[in-house]
Amino acid sequence: MEELLFGIGISAIAGALATVSGAAEDTESDIGSQGDPNSQVQLAPQMGYIHRIFSKAISGEPPAYGLWITLGAGLAWALMAINYNPVLAIILGSAIAVFVQGVYATTAYLGRTASLAKFEQPVYIDVIKSVTTVTMAHAFVAIFTCVTMCFLMVNALGHPFPLPLMGLVWGIALGAAGSATGNPFYGKERQYQSQKFGAGVPISASGNIVRYAEAGQRSSLDNGWFTSKLGGPASGVCFGLIVFLELWRTIFFEEFAGGWGAVIAGIILILIFMIVDRYIEVWARKTYGPYTEEKTEEAA
Amino acid sequence: MSALGGGSGGGEGMTPVGIVVGIILLIAALAAMYVISPGFAFTSLVLVIVGGLLIGFGVHFVPVGGAPAAMGQSPGIATGVTMLAAGAGLAGLFGGAWAAELGFGVALAGGAIGGGLMMAVTCLMVNVVYVWGMGVPAASGKVAKDPITGDTFEAYKSQGTEGHGLPFISYVGGVIGGCLGGLGGTLIYVELLGVYEEFLPISMGASAEAVLPIAVGIAGIIAVGMFLVNAVIAAYNITGTIEGPHDPKFKRFPRAIMGCAVASAICGLLAIIMAVM
């Protein structure tokens, strides 16, 4: 019983760490403009819209976060192997990984922006100075919490994977969950605030991103402020639920039916999520209503 | 051609030369394994190839809209095919590796459900953001009606877009894709772990207990690597975006199956030879 309670407690802590990690990951990627919406930031100068938005997507979020979390976890693992205290080892590992992220951010911004020189997009030195440190700070939160979560899975819950491999697995999953959930909010609601709420962005408006804030030109720091209201927390809840439910169903139900209990619990959870999703879909259809009237309904 | 990049027709066939070269490479890899170590190692290679095929096939189910989805210009999840499928499959691999000691069946089922659960949560949160963050209902650009629920889409599409959100058929496709990815990844991991546990103590001259952490680590790393190899091949086959099993591009999967079989055979052969020889 005590062992079970311990397992549930660790699952809860891991889920909470994952939630913070997901929220910080999405906010970092929105400030650094790393997810899929980045294509619009890259496209804007070509359409004649010069901007001060940071742009550092030279690969997707999942491989980038896979790298950083693996670096953090690998360094922490190496430091623990030479008898460093685990807390200190995780902090040092995450800090060094963040410096790699900082180098990546700087070179990616300079390289991507320099490639737009023929469209007269300048490289803003003050943007590098102000934004890079802020993305690094958010990345540290994301990396530290994710590495700590992986450490708990290996050392407290006894998962067979070594810490760096665990970091790779959950780093890629973190990037995938964050880029899937948070990206639309940043891509549409932040970049296209001149477009009407409650509709998709017409293809003809591609590249016409909003470039001015309440006072002066908008920089990527405004993106962090805006998307931390919904995109970040939604990504956090997404990654937190994935981690917590994955651990919870295994720890709580694996004893039943020779391991099949955890599988059955997983199937039930998937069905519950499907029902909730269908409810949301129907709610949206009823509330927002059809954009065009019966004509197309009959045709369909 | 779609305005958002990538052909929307799908179903382009395979070239005869490609098929012949693929089959020759596949048979050569299997024959080499049979000559080197028939029996357990050979069976493992066959199952590793099956795992690769499951991953490649599963990726085609995952609804991915890329950058256009992030602007509400096309339906799907706003990220890349490889990345999302890899995230789901690796979450499955985590569960499968954990359950590996409980038996072959439980490990595979655990891996599949782990991947499916990751996709179920992600798809739900994606729809939450679409509906309450962006205020758009789900509408497919590829079909007029949802094959499962029968919902019509034409009237719910914003002007100038190819649809948006995540229709229910795409949600179900995502969960199936996650399950297949997790199943395939776990199958590769379990088979490689079995081979390493069997052969590494002999080749390294160490006890089974001393070799176990190395076996787990190498099997896990190679399973992750092979997952990415197969997911990338499938993503190249899809090119750009796909809405799920109802998308015309889904019909292209036989090409990916062929490519994944060859790639998995060669990667698997090298991974197994490393321990056997």
Side-chain angles (χ1 to χ4, degrees):
Chain A
M1 187 64 192
E2 256 181 52
E3 201 179 314
L4 187 70
L5 283 176
F6 177 74
I8 297 295
I10 295 291
S11 302
I13 295 173
L17 286 167
T19 307
V20 176
S21 187
E25 189 274 345
D26 183 61
T27 312
E28 187 276 332
S29 97
D30 292 343
I31 293 170
S33 191
Q34 192 180 2
D36 270 306
N38 174 77
S39 67
Q40 300 297 302
V41 176
Q42 188 78 1
L43 179 66
Q46 299 175 40
M47 309 297 283
Y49 307 113
I50 305 300
H51 62 76
R52 283 167 59 83
I53 310 291
F54 207 79
S55 168
K56 70 172 169 69
I58 47 176
S59 68
E61 279 172 72
Y65 267 89
L67 167 70
W68 300 329
I69 306 287
T70 311
L71 265 177
L75 290 164
W77 181 67
L79 290 170
M80 277 185 260
I82 52 170
N83 292 327
Y84 268 58
N85 178 305
V87 177
L88 184 62
I90 293 172
I91 292 173
L92 283 175
S94 306
I96 297 168
V98 162
F99 278 102
V100 175
Q101 187 265 357
V103 172
Y104 170 98
T106 313
T107 53
Y109 172 71
L110 288 172
R112 294 210 69 155
T113 313
S115 74
L116 294 166
K118 64 181 165 188
F119 302 107
E120 297 180 357
Q121 168 71 40
V123 169
Y124 294 100
I125 300 300
D126 69 306
V127 166
I128 295 184
K129 282 182 185 166
S130 58
V131 177
T132 310
T133 43
V134 179
T135 68
M136 286 173 73
H138 283 80
F140 180 80
V141 176
I143 296 169
F144 174 73
T145 45
C146 195
V147 172
T148 309
M149 177 195 94
C150 293
F151 175 78
L152 288 177
M153 286 176 182
V154 175
N155 286 56
L157 299 179
H159 194 281
F161 281 177
L163 188 57
L165 182 59
M166 190 66 96
L168 180 63
V169 167
W170 283 114
I172 291 179
L174 167 66
S179 78
T181 310
N183 272 355
F185 192 64
Y186 165 56
K188 199 257 168 184
E189 280 313 298
R190 183 55 178 174
Q191 290 190 160
Y192 286 92
Q193 286 181 321
S194 54
Q195 299 286 326
K196 203 162 65 174
F197 178 79
V201 176
I203 292 161
S204 57
S206 292
N208 185 13
I209 57 173
V210 173
R211 297 168 295 147
Y212 299 102
E214 289 74 7
Q217 286 192 318
R218 173 179 292 179
S219 88
S220 293
L221 300 181
D222 300 299
N223 292 342
W225 169 79
F226 182 86
T227 56
S228 61
K229 287 193 293 185
L230 196 134
S235 303
V237 169
C238 178
F239 190 56
L241 276 176
I242 292 167
V243 169
F244 176 72
L245 293 175
E246 187 64 30
L247 298 179
W248 176 79
R249 76 178 177 96
T250 308
I251 287 164
F252 214 75
F253 295 103
E254 204 168 50
E255 300 299 314
F256 299 100
W260 289 97
V263 175
I264 295 163
I267 294 170
I268 293 169
L269 283 170
I270 290 173
L271 291 175
I272 291 170
F273 280 115
M274 266 190 191
I275 293 165
V276 175
D277 177 77
R278 179 65 189 148
Y279 172 80
I280 292 171
E281 193 183 354
V282 171
W283 185 91
R285 287 172 71 86
K286 278 187 187 157
T287 311
Y288 302 142
Y291 292 124
T292 52
E293 286 307 326
E294 293 80 11
K295 190 182 72 178
T296 44
E297 293 268 327
E298 283 165 17
Chain B
M1 282 290 283
S2 153
L4 299 176
S8 57
E12 290 99 329
M14 290 183 273
T15 59
V17 178
I19 296 173
V20 171
V21 171
I23 290 172
I24 290 171
L25 283 171
L26 190 61
I27 292 172
L30 285 169
M33 191 74 256
Y34 192 78
V35 170
I36 294 163
S37 178
F40 180 58
F42 179 76
T43 319
S44 295
L45 179 63
V46 173
L47 289 173
V48 164
I49 296 170
V50 172
L53 298 185
L54 286 169
I55 295 168
F57 183 51
V59 171
H60 287 72
F61 281 89
V62 179
V64 172
M71 256 69 62
Q73 287 176 349
S74 82
I77 300 173
T79 188
V81 174
T82 319
M83 297 308 120
L84 190 62
L90 296 180
L93 177 63
F94 167 84
W98 213 0
E101 61 193 32
L102 295 168
F104 189 64
V106 176
L108 291 189
I113 295 305
L117 186 60
M118 191 272 188
M119 284 305 299
V121 174
T122 305
C123 291
L124 175 72
M125 290 309 295
V126 164
N127 253 343
V128 165
V129 171
Y130 275 125
V131 169
W132 286 302
M134 295 158 68
V136 292
S140 163
K142 299 283 172 67
V143 291
K145 261 181 157 181
D146 190 312
I148 297 177
T149 61
D151 286 346
T152 55
F153 293 133
E154 193 58 40
Y156 292 87
K157 258 192 285 187
S158 306
Q159 203 173 12
T161 69
E162 294 195 346
H164 32 61
L166 202 65
F168 195 66
I169 175 72
S170 299
Y171 185 100
V172 174
V175 172
I176 294 170
C179 285
L180 289 174
L183 179 64
T186 308
L187 183 58
I188 293 174
Y189 171 76
V190 170
E191 287 307 317
L192 290 179
L193 183 63
V195 169
Y196 294 152
E197 281 180 334
E198 177 92 14
F199 293 101
L200 276 184
I202 305 161
S203 60
M204 291 175 75
S207 69
E209 277 178 25
V211 162
L212 186 64
I214 301 169
V216 168
I218 301 175
I221 289 166
I222 295 178
V224 170
M226 286 189 63
F227 199 98
L228 291 171
V229 166
N230 287 296
V232 167
I233 289 173
Y236 271 116
N237 189 43
I238 291 165
T239 62
T241 65
I242 185 166
E243 285 186 19
H246 60 290
D247 194 303
K249 283 186 185 176
F250 183 77
K251 293 182 193 134
R252 293 182 187 174
F253 75 82
R255 276 198 307 191
I257 294 283
M258 189 74 221
C260 289
V262 176
S264 302
I266 292 169
C267 293
L269 177 69
L270 294 173
I272 293 172
I273 279 180
M274 191 169 74
V276 173
M277 286 184 86

PDB file of all heavy atoms in Angstrom, chain B residues 9 34 44 52-53 124 134 142 151 156 167 178 204:
ATOM      1  N   GLY B   9      -4.099  14.756 -54.802  1.00  0.00           N
ATOM      2  CA  GLY B   9      -4.700  13.607 -55.462  1.00  0.00           C
ATOM      3  C   GLY B   9      -4.351  12.295 -54.797  1.00  0.00           C
ATOM      4  O   GLY B   9      -5.215  11.518 -54.426  1.00  0.00           O
ATOM      5  N   TYR B  34      19.996 -14.797 -42.280  1.00  0.00           N
ATOM      6  CA  TYR B  34      19.778 -16.245 -42.179  1.00  0.00           C
ATOM      7  C   TYR B  34      21.105 -16.989 -42.207  1.00  0.00           C
ATOM      8  O   TYR B  34      21.305 -17.965 -41.480  1.00  0.00           O
ATOM      9  CB  TYR B  34      18.869 -16.719 -43.324  1.00  0.00           C
ATOM     10  CG  TYR B  34      18.362 -18.130 -43.123  1.00  0.00           C
ATOM     11  CD1 TYR B  34      17.302 -18.372 -42.240  1.00  0.00           C
ATOM     12  CD2 TYR B  34      18.956 -19.207 -43.772  1.00  0.00           C
ATOM     13  CE1 TYR B  34      16.841 -19.655 -42.016  1.00  0.00           C
ATOM     14  CE2 TYR B  34      18.498 -20.496 -43.564  1.00  0.00           C
ATOM     15  CZ  TYR B  34      17.446 -20.711 -42.685  1.00  0.00           C
ATOM     16  OH  TYR B  34      17.006 -21.996 -42.468  1.00  0.00           O
ATOM     17  N   SER B  44      13.811 -12.437 -35.093  1.00  0.00           N
ATOM     18  CA  SER B  44      13.780 -11.068 -34.551  1.00  0.00           C
ATOM     19  C   SER B  44      13.843 -10.038 -35.672  1.00  0.00           C
ATOM     20  O   SER B  44      13.130  -9.037 -35.642  1.00  0.00           O
ATOM     21  CB  SER B  44      14.951 -10.840 -33.594  1.00  0.00           C
ATOM     22  OG  SER B  44      14.800 -11.663 -32.476  1.00  0.00           O
ATOM     23  N   GLY B  52       8.676  -1.855 -38.163  1.00  0.00           N
ATOM     24  CA  GLY B  52       8.906  -0.709 -39.044  1.00  0.00           C
ATOM     25  C   GLY B  52       7.706  -0.446 -39.943  1.00  0.00           C
ATOM     26  O   GLY B  52       7.312   0.708 -40.167  1.00  0.00           O
ATOM     27  N   LEU B  53       7.111  -1.523 -40.451  1.00  0.00           N
ATOM     28  CA  LEU B  53       5.932  -1.370 -41.320  1.00  0.00           C
ATOM     29  C   LEU B  53       4.770  -0.756 -40.535  1.00  0.00           C
ATOM     30  O   LEU B  53       4.051   0.108 -41.052  1.00  0.00           O
ATOM     31  CB  LEU B  53       5.487  -2.733 -41.864  1.00  0.00           C
ATOM     32  CG  LEU B  53       6.471  -3.492 -42.753  1.00  0.00           C
ATOM     33  CD1 LEU B  53       5.820  -4.751 -43.303  1.00  0.00           C
ATOM     34  CD2 LEU B  53       6.926  -2.618 -43.905  1.00  0.00           C
ATOM     35  N   LEU B 124      -7.360  16.198 -28.274  1.00  0.00           N
ATOM     36  CA  LEU B 124      -8.398  16.888 -27.499  1.00  0.00           C
ATOM     37  C   LEU B 124      -7.968  18.329 -27.217  1.00  0.00           C
ATOM     38  O   LEU B 124      -8.752  19.269 -27.426  1.00  0.00           O
ATOM     39  CB  LEU B 124      -8.658  16.147 -26.182  1.00  0.00           C
ATOM     40  CG  LEU B 124      -9.631  16.860 -25.249  1.00  0.00           C
ATOM     41  CD1 LEU B 124     -11.042  16.784 -25.793  1.00  0.00           C
ATOM     42  CD2 LEU B 124      -9.583  16.272 -23.848  1.00  0.00           C
ATOM     43  N   MET B 134      -9.453  30.035 -30.801  1.00  0.00           N
ATOM     44  CA  MET B 134      -9.549  30.667 -32.123  1.00  0.00           C
ATOM     45  C   MET B 134     -10.993  30.830 -32.597  1.00  0.00           C
ATOM     46  O   MET B 134     -11.243  31.538 -33.573  1.00  0.00           O
ATOM     47  CB  MET B 134      -8.778  29.836 -33.157  1.00  0.00           C
ATOM     48  CG  MET B 134      -7.281  29.808 -32.891  1.00  0.00           C
ATOM     49  SD  MET B 134      -6.462  28.402 -33.657  1.00  0.00           S
ATOM     50  CE  MET B 134      -6.609  28.793 -35.376  1.00  0.00           C
ATOM     51  N   LYS B 142     -11.125  18.092 -47.409  1.00  0.00           N
ATOM     52  CA  LYS B 142     -10.959  17.002 -48.374  1.00  0.00           C
ATOM     53  C   LYS B 142     -12.238  16.223 -48.640  1.00  0.00           C
ATOM     54  O   LYS B 142     -12.408  15.636 -49.697  1.00  0.00           O
ATOM     55  CB  LYS B 142      -9.868  16.039 -47.877  1.00  0.00           C
ATOM     56  CG  LYS B 142      -8.487  16.684 -47.715  1.00  0.00           C
ATOM     57  CD  LYS B 142      -7.815  16.862 -49.054  1.00  0.00           C
ATOM     58  CE  LYS B 142      -6.530  17.673 -48.941  1.00  0.00           C
ATOM     59  NZ  LYS B 142      -5.464  17.020 -48.213  1.00  0.00           N
ATOM     60  N   ASP B 151     -21.349  14.361 -40.107  1.00  0.00           N
ATOM     61  CA  ASP B 151     -21.417  15.833 -40.104  1.00  0.00           C
ATOM     62  C   ASP B 151     -21.006  16.383 -41.468  1.00  0.00           C
ATOM     63  O   ASP B 151     -20.034  15.906 -42.063  1.00  0.00           O
ATOM     64  CB  ASP B 151     -20.447  16.402 -39.059  1.00  0.00           C
ATOM     65  CG  ASP B 151     -20.952  16.222 -37.652  1.00  0.00           C
ATOM     66  OD1 ASP B 151     -22.140  15.900 -37.504  1.00  0.00           O
ATOM     67  OD2 ASP B 151     -20.155  16.384 -36.704  1.00  0.00           O
ATOM     68  N   TYR B 156     -19.305  25.040 -42.779  1.00  0.00           N
ATOM     69  CA  TYR B 156     -18.546  25.436 -41.589  1.00  0.00           C
ATOM     70  C   TYR B 156     -17.121  25.886 -41.925  1.00  0.00           C
ATOM     71  O   TYR B 156     -16.327  26.151 -41.047  1.00  0.00           O
ATOM     72  CB  TYR B 156     -18.509  24.285 -40.581  1.00  0.00           C
ATOM     73  CG  TYR B 156     -19.866  24.009 -39.975  1.00  0.00           C
ATOM     74  CD1 TYR B 156     -20.759  23.160 -40.606  1.00  0.00           C
ATOM     75  CD2 TYR B 156     -20.258  24.634 -38.801  1.00  0.00           C
ATOM     76  CE1 TYR B 156     -22.014  22.921 -40.080  1.00  0.00           C
ATOM     77  CE2 TYR B 156     -21.517  24.401 -38.250  1.00  0.00           C
ATOM     78  CZ  TYR B 156     -22.386  23.545 -38.905  1.00  0.00           C
ATOM     79  OH  TYR B 156     -23.627  23.325 -38.376  1.00  0.00           O
ATOM     80  N   PRO B 167     -11.693  17.434 -37.330  1.00  0.00           N
ATOM     81  CA  PRO B 167     -12.941  16.663 -37.377  1.00  0.00           C
ATOM     82  C   PRO B 167     -12.789  15.312 -36.670  1.00  0.00           C
ATOM     83  O   PRO B 167     -11.671  14.823 -36.507  1.00  0.00           O
ATOM     84  CB  PRO B 167     -13.174  16.454 -38.875  1.00  0.00           C
ATOM     85  CG  PRO B 167     -12.301  17.429 -39.570  1.00  0.00           C
ATOM     86  CD  PRO B 167     -11.153  17.694 -38.658  1.00  0.00           C
ATOM     87  N   GLY B 178      -1.338   6.733 -33.449  1.00  0.00           N
ATOM     88  CA  GLY B 178      -0.543   6.667 -32.223  1.00  0.00           C
ATOM     89  C   GLY B 178      -0.401   5.232 -31.739  1.00  0.00           C
ATOM     90  O   GLY B 178       0.677   4.789 -31.338  1.00  0.00           O
ATOM     91  N   MET B 204      30.511 -10.134 -25.322  1.00  0.00           N
ATOM     92  CA  MET B 204      31.265  -9.255 -24.417  1.00  0.00           C
ATOM     93  C   MET B 204      31.966 -10.034 -23.306  1.00  0.00           C
ATOM     94  O   MET B 204      32.751  -9.457 -22.541  1.00  0.00           O
ATOM     95  CB  MET B 204      30.327  -8.213 -23.792  1.00  0.00           C
ATOM     96  CG  MET B 204      29.803  -7.188 -24.789  1.00  0.00           C
ATOM     97  SD  MET B 204      28.602  -6.065 -24.068  1.00  0.00           S
ATOM     98  CE  MET B 204      29.637  -5.016 -23.096  1.00  0.00           C
TER      99      MET B 204
END
